[in-house]
Amino acid sequence: MINKRKYFLLLSVIIFIASPETVYLKDFKGAEYRTKESYLYGRFEVRCKSTYREGVLASFFTYYDGGTGVQDWNEIDIEILGRYGNDVQYNIITPGQMDHVHHQFVNFNPHLDFHTYAFEWTPGYVAWFIDNEEVHRQTGEHIQTLIREQKIMMNIWNPAYVGWIGNWNADALPAFAYYDWVSYYSYVPGSGDYGTDNNFTFSWTDNFDSWDQSRWDKATHTWNGNNCDFIHENAVLQNGMLILCLTDSTNTGYTDLQKPSLLWARANNDNDKIFLSFTEELDEASSENAANYIIPNVTINGAILLQDMKSVELSVSGINPSESYNLIVMNIKDRAEANTILTKAVTIVKAQPLSFPVKINVGGTATMGFLEDQEWSYTKEYGYLDGTSTQWELSIEGTEEDSVYWADRYGLVTYMIRVPVGSYNVKLMFTEKVWSESGVRVFDVYIEGSRLIDDLDIYNQAGFRTAYESNFSNIIVDDEVLEIHFCAEEDNALIDGIVIEQSNTGLLNEPAERIKSFTLEQNFPNPFNGSTIIRYSLPSEGNVKLKIYDLLGSLVFSDNLGLKPPGEYEYKWNAYNNYKNPLSSGVYFYSLEENNRSKVKKLILLN
């Protein structure tokens, strides 16, 4: 990840010429809204919906703008990147422009609906919250360097760093980020009535009914690495919201005159579905009208607008795998229903199914039956979205596959592999080749929305330059893409290799017939010391969340387990709280929530 101002001097790009008009140097125009006042400590909250555009981010953050140089840098970030549909990025930037980045997996798409995001900044910690639940906390020496008063800011912009932000496409403009309100609570330890330990008290809320010029400024600056200028016209107060706009230099403000455009079309492995990707969110009625799609000599049986509102799934019949096909799209409107796509034809990309077992040398070249690493795209069957590869040539203990462990990809967030709907066994391969002490590199790993590795410290598990494997069975894939998500806690996540084997491709159809009710079983063992297993069953697909409470009813641990298909599951709990600290002995209650229902049972921890 590249800090949005790192290694660059902040620049003003406003040039005053003979006339009093302002001339901006960049082709694209963004917006930033910032407080006049600066704040030292507190709880900072916003309710917002970000923009779903690759190459763009929307933010809520605090920043010290005293202008005394990088040696005094203080900044706390919430940044939502448009390239991810399930991730929120947090960062603290400390003197010397040192980044402390964490990617938070979320079981919702932050671009599709409003959510409340917050962070608490105190002398001892910074903690981030989503919808009033703490999801990440940083402590340590770097927190002690956050001593500068900071302004509250929000912006939308298109960074120049493809590896971090993804590929920019100007045809996807305009992009809008919506802010419903912002609240600030001052830090008053021991005398407050809000937030963690009631250490905060309400100061103010702005509902954005109008531009309060006594509180807020609209920015007019940019910096190297930012591909847009901030202008007043693109910070719009309308309909009780602040709307930050990213536009071209002509059609500024909260207006959309751009026609939607088809980016690509791809067939699935069975050639009975075609997936289409568009530049922007679509009108449901026109996008689901099968008559608006033509594939010569192929029957289109139906069209469905998918959840991201930018993708369409066509059900088709009559495709010959050995032939090439073109898709023609017409008469489709965007969400504003004011702009209609120009008739366009694209060649349908054919799937090239992988052979099992799928073995990938992440970060490296083809070796020992492992495939070469590659970047993910609509034409590829697997690949990384981000991260940096490194190559080594050294002895690795505990393996005969040294050449696989020589290469790795670090700083990555997402790896994707196309597979048929079914159940899979997954092996992840790691080795620590840089740090020779525990606690320096720590990260979580999610597979298909479930956190399956918590606080992995490779050195602590295996030692220095020694192979370490994590194996998982019966990973269910119901959308033909197996997604692996990495969330760094300390330093950067990394991986050396991935191996995927089929376990039971018919598993998805079995649970619905076998499981008749939503069940939560008694944990085992119980009482327990160290860790325990919690088993549960779902008769239908649902969003699942596990919560654990103490005897006083205080929430001590929660985990969003994501969208789960029907099936039987087990969850290993290590008796930690949300801050990764071990809990004391006692009686606790564990609650499993699924959609609008829940079940509760009691467990006993003996340390």
Side-chain angles (χ1 to χ4, degrees):
M1 172 269 177
I2 301 178
N3 169 8
K4 56 180 169 291
R5 300 176 179 86
K6 196 166 188 177
Y7 306 123
F8 294 102
L9 178 67
L10 287 173
L11 302 176
S12 171
V13 297
I14 305 175
I15 299 178
F16 294 97
I17 55 177
S19 73
E21 296 181 356
T22 300
V23 178
Y24 298 94
L25 300 181
K26 297 186 177 179
D27 293 333
F28 305 106
K29 309 302 169 189
E32 182 173 276
Y33 209 59
R34 50 166 59 194
T35 55
K36 294 177 179 291
E37 186 177 350
S38 297
Y39 303 88
L40 183 66
Y41 308 132
R43 181 173 170 120
F44 306 81
E45 294 188 346
V46 64
R47 184 174 184 267
C48 66
K49 180 174 70 170
S50 50
T51 184
Y52 206 177
R53 299 289 187 275
E54 185 173 3
V56 180
L57 71 80
S59 67
F60 176 71
F61 63 107
T62 56
Y63 172 64
Y64 170 63
D65 68 345
T68 54
V70 299
Q71 70 274 11
D72 294 319
W73 205 288
N74 272 201
E75 182 173 346
I76 305 171
D77 294 335
I78 299 174
E79 295 174 310
I80 308 179
L81 281 59
R83 73 183 309 185
Y84 304 116
N86 54 7
D87 184 271
V88 177
Q89 178 180 291
Y90 302 135
N91 193 12
I92 294 175
I93 308 176
T94 52
Q97 291 183 309
M98 301 299 295
D99 288 311
H100 305 269
V101 179
H102 171 75
H103 281 268
Q104 180 65 43
F105 178 86
V106 293
N107 66 346
F108 59 85
N109 190 321
H111 317 299
L112 298 183
D113 203 354
F114 285 88
H115 291 270
T116 300
Y117 304 91
F119 60 87
E120 292 178 354
W121 169 27
T122 76
Y125 71 86
V126 174
W128 288 264
F129 300 77
I130 298 178
D131 295 331
N132 296 316
E133 288 192 18
E134 182 174 331
V135 295
H136 181 61
R137 175 176 290 223
Q138 292 187 20
T139 57
E141 294 181 359
H142 67 289
I143 301 298
Q144 314 305 317
T145 67
L146 294 173
I147 58 174
R148 307 284 178 178
E149 292 187 344
Q150 303 180 39
K151 293 183 176 180
I152 302 171
M153 302 187 183
M154 295 154 280
N155 60 28
I156 185 172
W157 56 294
N158 52 328
Y161 316 114
V162 174
W164 172 39
I165 201 70
N167 294 305
W168 163 252
N169 182 356
D171 290 339
L173 292 178
F176 306 119
Y178 300 87
Y179 297 80
D180 189 17
W181 50 258
V182 167
S183 294
Y184 171 68
Y185 296 78
S186 57
Y187 178 58
V188 288
S191 61
D193 57 4
Y194 189 74
T196 301
D197 297 328
N198 286 327
N199 281 334
F200 304 86
T201 189
F202 176 77
S203 181
W204 56 262
T205 291
D206 196 319
N207 291 311
F208 297 135
D209 295 320
S210 62
W211 179 14
D212 183 350
Q213 298 188 49
S214 67
R215 176 174 289 148
W216 299 97
D217 285 325
K218 296 182 179 183
T220 55
H221 68 277
T222 190
W223 57 88
N224 283 349
N226 180 357
N227 283 333
C228 71
D229 312 307
F230 294 147
I231 62 173
H232 279 200
E233 296 91 328
N234 277 2
V236 178
L237 281 297
Q238 184 173 312
N239 300 326
M241 284 187 291
L242 167 67
I243 306 168
L244 298 183
C245 313
L246 181 65
T247 68
D248 59 26
S249 58
T250 303
N251 301 300
T252 59
Y254 186 48
T255 182
D256 182 2
L257 302 178
Q258 181 73 27
K259 301 178 187 298
S261 179
L262 175 64
L263 295 173
W264 50 262
R266 177 188 167 93
N268 69 343
N269 288 340
D270 295 329
N271 290 306
D272 60 357
K273 294 180 181 178
I274 308 293
F275 295 95
L276 286 61
S277 178
F278 293 82
T279 53
E280 62 175 299
E281 294 80 2
L282 303 176
D283 160 62
E284 186 172 4
S286 61
S287 62
E288 293 193 340
N289 184 351
N292 289 333
Y293 308 92
I294 298 174
I295 306 175
N297 303 317
V298 172
T299 301
I300 298 177
N301 302 309
I304 299 174
L305 181 63
L306 300 182
Q307 186 181 24
D308 67 1
M309 310 302 291
K310 299 193 301 179
S311 302
V312 173
E313 175 189 306
L314 301 181
S315 298
V316 300
S317 55
I319 286 185
N320 184 335
S322 63
E323 295 184 6
S324 178
Y325 294 89
N326 290 326
L327 167 71
I328 302 169
V329 178
M330 54 192 173
N331 300 326
I332 294 176
K333 299 179 180 181
D334 62 13
R335 297 290 285 178
E337 299 186 10
N339 306 302
T340 303
I341 194 171
L342 298 174
T343 300
K344 184 175 182 178
V346 298
T347 299
I348 298 172
V349 174
K350 291 291 191 67
Q352 303 294 325
L354 297 167
S355 298
F356 290 94
V358 178
K359 304 166 76 174
I360 304 169
N361 183 21
V362 181
T365 58
T367 182
M368 301 185 70
F370 282 71
L371 299 170
E372 181 177 15
D373 196 22
Q374 63 183 10
E375 185 175 5
W376 173 260
S377 79
Y378 68 94
T379 65
K380 305 295 185 182
E381 303 302 315
Y382 67 92
Y384 59 86
L385 262 67
D386 36 44
T388 302
S389 64
T390 58
Q391 300 281 340
W392 309 70
E393 190 166 340
L394 40 81
S395 177
I396 303 295
E397 300 295 326
T399 183
E400 295 181 356
E401 298 173 316
D402 292 56
S403 60
V404 177
Y405 288 96
W406 286 347
D408 62 45
R409 179 164 293 278
Y410 72 92
L412 78 168
V413 178
T414 305
Y415 211 98
M416 315 275 270
I417 307 98
R418 299 186 198 274
V419 295
V421 170
S423 179
Y424 297 89
N425 299 329
V426 178
K427 178 170 71 175
L428 305 182
M429 305 164 66
F430 308 94
T431 185
E432 180 56 73
K433 298 182 284 289
V434 176
W435 305 115
S436 56
E437 58 180 307
S438 298
V440 180
R441 186 193 311 279
V442 181
F443 58 95
D444 301 336
V445 181
Y446 291 74
I447 303 180
E448 285 297 284
S450 295
R451 184 169 61 188
L452 298 184
I453 303 180
D454 186 19
D455 287 345
L456 174 61
D457 184 331
I458 305 169
Y459 178 83
N460 186 55
Q461 292 290 333
F464 188 54
R465 295 179 178 174
T466 301
Y468 177 74
E469 297 178 357
S470 289
N471 292 276
F472 307 96
S473 58
N474 297 324
I475 301 297
I476 296 174
V477 178
D478 59 2
D479 61 355
E480 302 189 19
V481 177
L482 191 155
E483 179 177 337
I484 306 173
H485 200 90
F486 300 83
C487 298
E489 300 287 349
E490 301 288 345
D491 198 71
N492 291 292
L494 65 75
I495 188 168
D496 296 84
I498 301 170
V499 178
I500 303 170
E501 297 180 309
Q502 292 177 302
S503 59
N504 183 353
T505 55
L507 183 63
L508 279 179
N509 295 323
E510 296 171 10
E513 301 171 2
R514 184 174 68 250
I515 300 171
K516 303 301 182 183
S517 62
F518 170 53
T519 61
L520 175 64
E521 298 182 18
Q522 185 64 51
N523 65 300
F524 179 83
N526 187 52
F528 72 98
N529 173 271
S531 65
T532 189
I533 299 297
I534 298 171
R535 292 190 173 95
Y536 62 95
S537 302
L538 303 177
S540 58
E541 183 179 73
N543 281 300
V544 181
K545 182 180 295 185
L546 176 70
K547 295 182 178 180
I548 297 179
Y549 300 86
D550 62 20
L551 273 175
L552 298 178
S554 298
L555 180 68
V556 296
F557 177 82
S558 64
D559 194 0
N560 292 324
L561 305 182
L563 185 65
K564 299 285 190 182
E568 297 174 338
Y569 299 90
E570 64 177 38
Y571 182 93
K572 182 180 180 181
W573 183 51
N574 293 319
Y576 291 150
N577 64 15
N578 281 327
Y579 311 138
K580 311 294 185 183
N581 297 321
L583 290 168
S584 58
S585 298
V587 176
Y588 295 87
F589 296 92
Y590 60 101
S591 168
L592 192 76
E593 300 177 359
E594 184 263 336
N595 293 343
N596 295 319
R597 53 189 173 181
S598 64
K599 289 184 178 293
V600 179
K601 287 187 178 293
K602 181 172 66 175
L603 58 79
I604 301 174
L605 171 61
L606 299 177
N607 285 331

